CSV table of all heavy atoms in Angstrom, one decimal:
chain,number,residue,atom,x,y,z
A,299,ALA,N,-0.7,35.7,-23.4
A,299,ALA,CA,-1.7,35.7,-24.5
A,299,ALA,C,-3.1,36.2,-24.0
A,299,ALA,O,-3.8,36.9,-24.7
A,299,ALA,CB,-1.8,34.3,-25.0
A,300,LEU,N,-3.5,35.8,-22.8
A,300,LEU,CA,-4.7,36.2,-22.2
A,300,LEU,C,-4.8,37.7,-22.0
A,300,LEU,O,-5.8,38.4,-22.1
A,300,LEU,CB,-5.0,35.5,-20.9
A,300,LEU,CG,-5.3,34.0,-21.0
A,300,LEU,CD1,-5.4,33.3,-19.7
A,300,LEU,CD2,-6.6,33.7,-21.8
A,301,LEU,N,-3.6,38.3,-21.6
A,301,LEU,CA,-3.6,39.7,-21.3
A,301,LEU,C,-3.2,40.6,-22.5
A,301,LEU,O,-2.9,41.8,-22.4
A,301,LEU,CB,-2.5,40.0,-20.2
A,301,LEU,CG,-2.8,39.3,-18.9
A,301,LEU,CD1,-1.7,39.6,-17.9
A,301,LEU,CD2,-4.2,39.8,-18.3
A,302,ALA,N,-3.3,40.0,-23.7
A,302,ALA,CA,-2.9,40.7,-24.9
A,302,ALA,C,-3.7,42.0,-25.1
A,302,ALA,O,-3.1,43.0,-25.5
A,302,ALA,CB,-3.0,39.8,-26.2
A,303,PRO,N,-5.0,42.0,-24.9
A,303,PRO,CA,-5.7,43.3,-25.1
A,303,PRO,C,-5.2,44.5,-24.2
A,303,PRO,O,-5.6,45.6,-24.4
A,303,PRO,CB,-7.2,42.9,-24.7
A,303,PRO,CG,-7.2,41.4,-25.0
A,303,PRO,CD,-5.9,40.9,-24.5
A,304,LEU,N,-4.5,44.1,-23.1
A,304,LEU,CA,-4.0,45.2,-22.2
A,304,LEU,C,-2.7,45.8,-22.6
A,304,LEU,O,-2.1,46.6,-21.9
A,304,LEU,CB,-3.9,44.6,-20.8
A,304,LEU,CG,-5.2,44.0,-20.2
A,304,LEU,CD1,-5.0,43.5,-18.8
A,304,LEU,CD2,-6.3,45.1,-20.2
A,305,THR,N,-2.1,45.3,-23.7
A,305,THR,CA,-0.8,45.9,-24.1
A,305,THR,C,-0.9,47.4,-24.4
A,305,THR,O,-1.9,47.8,-25.0
A,305,THR,CB,-0.3,45.2,-25.4
A,305,THR,OG1,-1.3,45.2,-26.4
A,305,THR,CG2,0.0,43.7,-25.1
A,306,PRO,N,0.1,48.1,-24.1
A,306,PRO,CA,0.0,49.6,-24.2
A,306,PRO,C,0.0,50.1,-25.6
A,306,PRO,O,-0.4,51.2,-25.9
A,306,PRO,CB,1.2,50.1,-23.4
A,306,PRO,CG,2.2,49.0,-23.5
A,306,PRO,CD,1.4,47.7,-23.4
A,307,TYR,N,0.5,49.3,-26.6
A,307,TYR,CA,0.6,49.7,-28.0
A,307,TYR,C,-0.2,48.8,-28.9
A,307,TYR,O,-0.3,47.6,-28.7
A,307,TYR,CB,2.1,49.7,-28.4
A,307,TYR,CG,2.9,50.6,-27.6
A,307,TYR,CD1,3.8,50.1,-26.6
A,307,TYR,CD2,3.0,52.0,-27.8
A,307,TYR,CE1,4.6,50.9,-25.9
A,307,TYR,CE2,3.8,52.8,-27.1
A,307,TYR,CZ,4.6,52.3,-26.1
A,307,TYR,OH,5.4,53.1,-25.4
A,308,ASN,N,-0.8,49.4,-29.9
A,308,ASN,CA,-1.5,48.7,-30.9
A,308,ASN,C,-0.5,47.9,-31.8
A,308,ASN,O,0.5,48.5,-32.3
A,308,ASN,CB,-2.3,49.6,-31.8
A,308,ASN,CG,-3.2,48.9,-32.8
A,308,ASN,OD1,-2.9,47.8,-33.2
A,308,ASN,ND2,-4.2,49.6,-33.3
A,309,PRO,N,-0.6,46.6,-31.9
A,309,PRO,CA,0.4,45.8,-32.6
A,309,PRO,C,0.5,46.1,-34.1
A,309,PRO,O,1.4,45.8,-34.8
A,309,PRO,CB,0.0,44.4,-32.4
A,309,PRO,CG,-1.4,44.4,-32.1
A,309,PRO,CD,-1.6,45.7,-31.4
A,310,LEU,N,-0.5,46.8,-34.6
A,310,LEU,CA,-0.6,47.2,-36.0
A,310,LEU,C,-0.2,48.6,-36.3
A,310,LEU,O,-0.1,49.0,-37.5
A,310,LEU,CB,-1.9,46.9,-36.6
A,310,LEU,CG,-2.4,45.4,-36.5
A,310,LEU,CD1,-3.8,45.3,-37.1
A,310,LEU,CD2,-1.4,44.4,-37.1
A,311,ALA,N,-0.1,49.4,-35.2
A,311,ALA,CA,0.2,50.9,-35.4
A,311,ALA,C,1.6,51.1,-35.9
A,311,ALA,O,2.6,50.6,-35.3
A,311,ALA,CB,-0.1,51.6,-34.1
A,312,GLN,N,1.8,51.8,-37.0
A,312,GLN,CA,3.1,52.1,-37.5
A,312,GLN,C,3.6,53.4,-37.1
A,312,GLN,O,2.9,54.4,-37.1
A,312,GLN,CB,3.0,52.0,-39.1
A,312,GLN,CG,2.5,50.6,-39.6
A,312,GLN,CD,2.5,50.6,-41.1
A,312,GLN,OE1,3.0,51.5,-41.8
A,312,GLN,NE2,1.9,49.5,-41.6
A,313,ARG,N,4.9,53.5,-36.9
A,313,ARG,CA,5.7,54.7,-36.6
A,313,ARG,C,6.9,54.7,-37.5
A,313,ARG,O,8.0,54.4,-37.0
A,313,ARG,CB,6.0,54.8,-35.1
A,313,ARG,CG,4.9,54.6,-34.2
A,313,ARG,CD,5.3,54.5,-32.7
A,313,ARG,NE,4.2,54.2,-31.8
A,313,ARG,CZ,3.7,53.0,-31.6
A,313,ARG,NH1,4.2,52.0,-32.3
A,313,ARG,NH2,2.7,52.9,-30.8
A,314,LEU,N,6.7,55.1,-38.7
A,314,LEU,CA,7.8,55.0,-39.7
A,314,LEU,C,9.0,55.8,-39.3
A,314,LEU,O,10.2,55.5,-39.7
A,314,LEU,CB,7.3,55.3,-41.1
A,314,LEU,CG,6.2,54.4,-41.7
A,314,LEU,CD1,5.7,54.9,-43.0
A,314,LEU,CD2,6.7,53.0,-41.8
A,315,VAL,N,8.8,56.9,-38.6
A,315,VAL,CA,9.9,57.8,-38.3
A,315,VAL,C,10.8,57.1,-37.3
A,315,VAL,O,12.0,57.3,-37.3
A,315,VAL,CB,9.4,59.1,-37.7
A,315,VAL,CG1,10.5,60.0,-37.2
A,315,VAL,CG2,8.5,59.8,-38.7
A,316,GLU,N,10.2,56.2,-36.5
A,316,GLU,CA,11.0,55.5,-35.4
A,316,GLU,C,11.4,54.1,-35.8
A,316,GLU,O,11.7,53.3,-34.9
A,316,GLU,CB,10.2,55.5,-34.1
A,316,GLU,CG,9.9,56.9,-33.6
A,316,GLU,CD,9.0,56.9,-32.4
A,316,GLU,OE1,8.7,55.8,-31.9
A,316,GLU,OE2,8.5,57.9,-32.0
A,317,ARG,N,11.2,53.7,-37.0
A,317,ARG,CA,11.4,52.3,-37.5
A,317,ARG,C,12.8,51.8,-37.1
A,317,ARG,O,13.8,52.5,-37.1
A,317,ARG,CB,11.2,52.2,-39.0
A,317,ARG,CG,12.2,53.0,-39.8
A,317,ARG,CD,11.7,53.1,-41.3
A,317,ARG,NE,11.7,51.8,-41.9
A,317,ARG,CZ,12.7,51.3,-42.7
A,317,ARG,NH1,13.8,52.0,-42.8
A,317,ARG,NH2,12.5,50.2,-43.2
A,318,ARG,N,12.8,50.5,-36.7
A,318,ARG,CA,14.0,49.8,-36.3
A,318,ARG,C,14.7,50.3,-35.1
A,318,ARG,O,15.9,50.1,-34.9
A,318,ARG,CB,15.0,49.7,-37.5
A,318,ARG,CG,14.5,49.0,-38.7
A,318,ARG,CD,15.6,48.8,-39.8
A,318,ARG,NE,15.1,48.1,-40.9
A,318,ARG,CZ,15.8,47.8,-42.0
A,318,ARG,NH1,17.1,48.2,-42.0
A,318,ARG,NH2,15.3,47.1,-43.0
A,319,GLN,N,13.9,51.0,-34.2
A,319,GLN,CA,14.5,51.5,-33.0
A,319,GLN,C,14.9,50.4,-32.1
A,319,GLN,O,14.1,49.5,-31.9
A,319,GLN,CB,13.4,52.4,-32.3
A,319,GLN,CG,13.9,53.1,-31.1
A,319,GLN,CD,12.9,53.9,-30.4
A,319,GLN,OE1,12.2,53.5,-29.5
A,319,GLN,NE2,12.6,55.1,-30.9
A,320,PRO,N,16.1,50.4,-31.5
A,320,PRO,CA,16.5,49.3,-30.7
A,320,PRO,C,15.7,49.3,-29.4
A,320,PRO,O,15.0,50.2,-29.0
A,320,PRO,CB,18.0,49.7,-30.4
A,320,PRO,CG,18.1,51.1,-30.6
A,320,PRO,CD,17.1,51.5,-31.7
A,321,PRO,N,15.9,48.2,-28.6
A,321,PRO,CA,15.1,48.1,-27.3
A,321,PRO,C,15.4,49.3,-26.4
A,321,PRO,O,16.6,49.8,-26.3
A,321,PRO,CB,15.7,46.8,-26.7
A,321,PRO,CG,16.1,46.0,-27.9
A,321,PRO,CD,16.6,47.0,-28.9
A,322,SER,N,14.4,49.8,-25.7
A,322,SER,CA,14.5,50.9,-24.8
A,322,SER,C,13.5,50.7,-23.6
A,322,SER,O,12.8,49.7,-23.6
A,322,SER,CB,14.3,52.2,-25.5
A,322,SER,OG,12.9,52.2,-26.0
A,323,LEU,N,13.5,51.6,-22.7
A,323,LEU,CA,12.6,51.5,-21.6
A,323,LEU,C,11.1,51.7,-22.1
A,323,LEU,O,10.2,51.0,-21.6
A,323,LEU,CB,12.9,52.6,-20.5
A,323,LEU,CG,14.2,52.4,-19.8
A,323,LEU,CD1,14.4,53.6,-18.8
A,323,LEU,CD2,14.2,51.1,-19.0
A,324,GLN,N,10.9,52.5,-23.1
A,324,GLN,CA,9.6,52.7,-23.6
A,324,GLN,C,9.1,51.5,-24.5
A,324,GLN,O,8.0,51.1,-24.5
A,324,GLN,CB,9.6,54.0,-24.5
A,324,GLN,CG,8.2,54.4,-24.9
A,324,GLN,CD,8.2,55.7,-25.7
A,324,GLN,OE1,9.2,56.2,-26.0
A,324,GLN,NE2,7.0,56.2,-26.0
A,325,HIS,N,10.1,50.9,-25.2
A,325,HIS,CA,9.8,49.7,-26.1
A,325,HIS,C,10.9,48.7,-25.7
A,325,HIS,O,11.9,48.6,-26.3
A,325,HIS,CB,9.9,50.1,-27.5
A,325,HIS,CG,8.9,51.2,-27.9
A,325,HIS,ND1,7.6,51.0,-28.1
A,325,HIS,CD2,9.2,52.5,-28.2
A,325,HIS,CE1,7.0,52.2,-28.5
A,325,HIS,NE2,8.0,53.1,-28.5
A,326,PRO,N,10.6,47.8,-24.7
A,326,PRO,CA,11.6,46.8,-24.2
A,326,PRO,C,12.1,45.9,-25.3
A,326,PRO,O,13.3,45.4,-25.2
A,326,PRO,CB,10.8,46.1,-23.2
A,326,PRO,CG,9.7,47.0,-22.7
A,326,PRO,CD,9.3,47.7,-23.9
A,327,MET,N,11.4,45.7,-26.4
A,327,MET,CA,11.9,44.8,-27.4
A,327,MET,C,12.1,45.6,-28.7
A,327,MET,O,12.2,45.0,-29.8
A,327,MET,CB,10.9,43.6,-27.7
A,327,MET,CG,10.9,42.7,-26.5
A,327,MET,SD,9.9,41.2,-26.9
A,327,MET,CE,10.0,40.3,-25.3
A,328,GLY,N,12.1,46.9,-28.7
A,328,GLY,CA,12.3,47.7,-29.8
A,328,GLY,C,11.1,47.8,-30.8
A,328,GLY,O,10.0,47.3,-30.5
A,329,LEU,N,11.4,48.4,-31.9
A,329,LEU,CA,10.4,48.5,-33.0
A,329,LEU,C,10.8,47.8,-34.2
A,329,LEU,O,12.0,47.7,-34.5
A,329,LEU,CB,10.2,50.0,-33.3
A,329,LEU,CG,9.7,50.9,-32.1
A,329,LEU,CD1,9.6,52.4,-32.6
A,329,LEU,CD2,8.4,50.4,-31.5
A,330,ASP,N,9.9,47.3,-35.0
A,330,ASP,CA,10.2,46.5,-36.2
A,330,ASP,C,10.5,47.5,-37.4
A,330,ASP,O,10.6,48.7,-37.2
A,330,ASP,CB,9.2,45.5,-36.5
A,330,ASP,CG,7.8,46.1,-36.9
A,330,ASP,OD1,7.8,47.3,-37.1
A,330,ASP,OD2,6.9,45.3,-37.1
A,331,GLU,N,10.6,46.9,-38.6
A,331,GLU,CA,10.9,47.6,-39.8
A,331,GLU,C,9.9,48.7,-40.2
A,331,GLU,O,10.1,49.5,-41.0
A,331,GLU,CB,11.2,46.7,-40.9
A,331,GLU,CG,10.0,46.0,-41.5
A,331,GLU,CD,9.5,44.8,-40.6
A,331,GLU,OE1,10.2,44.5,-39.6
A,331,GLU,OE2,8.5,44.1,-41.0
A,332,LEU,N,8.7,48.6,-39.6
A,332,LEU,CA,7.6,49.6,-39.9
A,332,LEU,C,7.3,50.4,-38.7
A,332,LEU,O,6.3,51.1,-38.6
A,332,LEU,CB,6.3,48.9,-40.4
A,332,LEU,CG,6.5,48.1,-41.7
A,332,LEU,CD1,5.2,47.4,-42.1
A,332,LEU,CD2,6.9,49.1,-42.8
A,333,GLY,N,8.1,50.3,-37.6
A,333,GLY,CA,7.9,51.1,-36.4
A,333,GLY,C,6.8,50.5,-35.5
A,333,GLY,O,6.3,51.3,-34.6
A,334,ARG,N,6.5,49.3,-35.6
A,334,ARG,CA,5.5,48.7,-34.7
A,334,ARG,C,6.2,48.1,-33.5
A,334,ARG,O,7.3,47.6,-33.6
A,334,ARG,CB,4.7,47.6,-35.5
A,334,ARG,CG,3.9,48.1,-36.6
A,334,ARG,CD,3.4,47.0,-37.5
A,334,ARG,NE,4.4,46.2,-38.2
A,334,ARG,CZ,4.2,45.3,-39.1
A,334,ARG,NH1,3.0,45.1,-39.6
A,334,ARG,NH2,5.2,44.7,-39.7
A,335,ASP,N,5.5,48.1,-32.4
A,335,ASP,CA,6.1,47.7,-31.1
A,335,ASP,C,6.2,46.2,-31.1
A,335,ASP,O,5.3,45.4,-31.2
A,335,ASP,CB,5.2,48.1,-29.9
A,335,ASP,CG,5.8,47.7,-28.6
A,335,ASP,OD1,6.9,48.2,-28.2
A,335,ASP,OD2,5.2,46.9,-27.9
A,336,ASN,N,7.5,45.7,-31.0
A,336,ASN,CA,7.8,44.3,-31.0
A,336,ASN,C,7.1,43.5,-29.9
A,336,ASN,O,6.6,42.4,-30.1
A,336,ASN,CB,9.3,44.0,-31.0
A,336,ASN,CG,9.8,43.6,-32.4
A,336,ASN,OD1,9.0,43.2,-33.2
A,336,ASN,ND2,11.1,43.6,-32.5
A,337,LEU,N,7.2,44.1,-28.7
A,337,LEU,CA,6.6,43.4,-27.5
A,337,LEU,C,5.1,43.1,-27.7
A,337,LEU,O,4.6,42.0,-27.4
A,337,LEU,CB,6.9,44.2,-26.2
A,337,LEU,CG,6.3,43.6,-24.9
A,337,LEU,CD1,6.9,42.2,-24.7
A,337,LEU,CD2,6.6,44.5,-23.8
A,338,SER,N,4.4,44.1,-28.1
A,338,SER,CA,2.9,44.0,-28.3
A,338,SER,C,2.7,42.9,-29.4
A,338,SER,O,1.7,42.1,-29.2
A,338,SER,CB,2.3,45.3,-28.7
A,338,SER,OG,2.5,46.3,-27.7
A,339,ARG,N,3.4,42.9,-30.4
A,339,ARG,CA,3.2,41.9,-31.5
A,339,ARG,C,3.5,40.5,-31.1
A,339,ARG,O,2.9,39.6,-31.5
A,339,ARG,CB,4.0,42.3,-32.7
A,339,ARG,CG,3.5,43.6,-33.4
A,339,ARG,CD,4.4,44.0,-34.6
A,339,ARG,NE,4.4,43.0,-35.7
A,339,ARG,CZ,3.5,42.8,-36.5
A,339,ARG,NH1,2.4,43.6,-36.5
A,339,ARG,NH2,3.6,41.9,-37.5
A,340,ILE,N,4.6,40.4,-30.3
A,340,ILE,CA,4.9,39.0,-29.8
A,340,ILE,C,3.8,38.5,-28.8
A,340,ILE,O,3.5,37.3,-28.8
A,340,ILE,CB,6.3,39.1,-29.1
A,340,ILE,CG1,7.4,39.2,-30.2
A,340,ILE,CG2,6.5,37.8,-28.2
A,340,ILE,CD1,8.8,39.4,-29.6
Side-chain angles (χ1 to χ4, degrees):
L300 290 174
L301 298 178
L304 301 179
T305 53
Y307 300 100
N308 186 335
L310 302 181
Q312 301 180 10
R313 304 170 185 83
L314 296 178
V315 177
E316 303 175 4
R317 62 194 297 266
R318 297 186 178 181
Q319 183 182 97
S322 61
L323 292 178
Q324 188 177 6
H325 303 284
M327 293 187 180
L329 302 179
D330 67 3
E331 70 280 357
L332 295 178
R334 297 169 296 192
D335 183 65
N336 252 347
L337 178 59
S338 298
R339 290 177 63 78
I340 287 175

